[in-house]
Amino acid sequence: MEMLLFALDVDDGWPPVAAEGVWCERDGDLYSLKNVPLFIRGLAVGDVFRAQHDPVNGQIFEFELVKSSGHSLVRVLNNDSLDFSLPEKRLLEMGCSLATFEKFSMFAIDVPAEVGRDEINAIVDSLEEEGFALAFPVWRHEPA
């Protein structure tokens, strides 16, 4: 495993960090993402990609997706201190995994390809109805 540091585009203070480190497995010049990213756009768990480290600071500024894992990524902001325990339990039971950024009441949810489209859409709909703010930086659970 290797930690890669991705440079992030900060716009009007968001995201609240300028770089994000993620764990990857390397195979030659290809990497496979192994943990749920909080802020990186365009990559989900299991995606295989090609990237070059910046020669000055070693960060990744650009990458090329080589093979999609079929996973989706959903970000949940809980600015109103809503109870996330029941949706979290349901997501974990479905096989999803989560990363948290407690300081900003944020969760990133990895949705494996095996999770049914209707099942994840029902949870996403209920989160929106309950008042959670959602973003879909990688959404691969589209209708057939």
Side-chain angles (χ1 to χ4, degrees):
M1 294 282 262
E2 183 176 334
M3 174 70 71
L4 295 185
L5 194 60
F6 281 74
L8 302 172
D9 292 326
V10 178
D11 184 25
D12 200 22
W14 193 261
V17 294
E20 178 178 4
V22 290
W23 289 105
C24 298
E25 281 186 4
R26 185 177 189 167
D27 184 10
D29 69 339
L30 299 178
Y31 296 92
S32 176
L33 183 62
K34 296 300 175 188
N35 68 285
V36 184
L38 286 163
F39 301 108
I40 300 167
R41 293 178 184 244
L43 284 179
V45 172
D47 284 353
V48 176
F49 63 96
R50 184 175 287 116
Q52 289 187 337
H53 298 271
D54 182 80
V56 175
N57 65 14
Q59 294 184 8
I60 306 295
F61 283 86
E62 295 180 10
F63 62 88
E64 172 193 357
L65 182 64
V66 174
K67 184 179 179 196
S68 166
S69 63
H71 288 227
S72 291
L73 180 67
V74 181
R75 294 192 185 121
V76 179
L77 283 172
N78 189 5
N79 294 330
D80 297 326
S81 299
L82 301 169
D83 184 7
F84 189 69
S85 60
L86 183 58
E88 180 179 19
K89 181 179 183 226
R90 287 177 57 207
L91 289 161
L92 293 172
E93 287 170 351
M94 289 170 35
C96 297
S97 55
L98 286 82
T100 61
F101 193 10
E102 289 183 29
K103 181 177 180 180
F104 289 91
S105 300
M106 183 183 150
F107 305 89
I109 305 164
D110 167 57
V111 184
E114 301 78 35
V115 172
R117 180 180 59 250
D118 294 340
E119 194 175 12
I120 190 60
N121 282 331
I123 290 180
V124 164
D125 290 347
S126 70
L127 287 170
E128 286 181 320
E129 289 170 9
E130 291 174 34
F132 291 94
L134 303 177
F136 304 89
V138 180
W139 189 250
R140 298 176 178 146
H141 284 75
E142 294 294 330

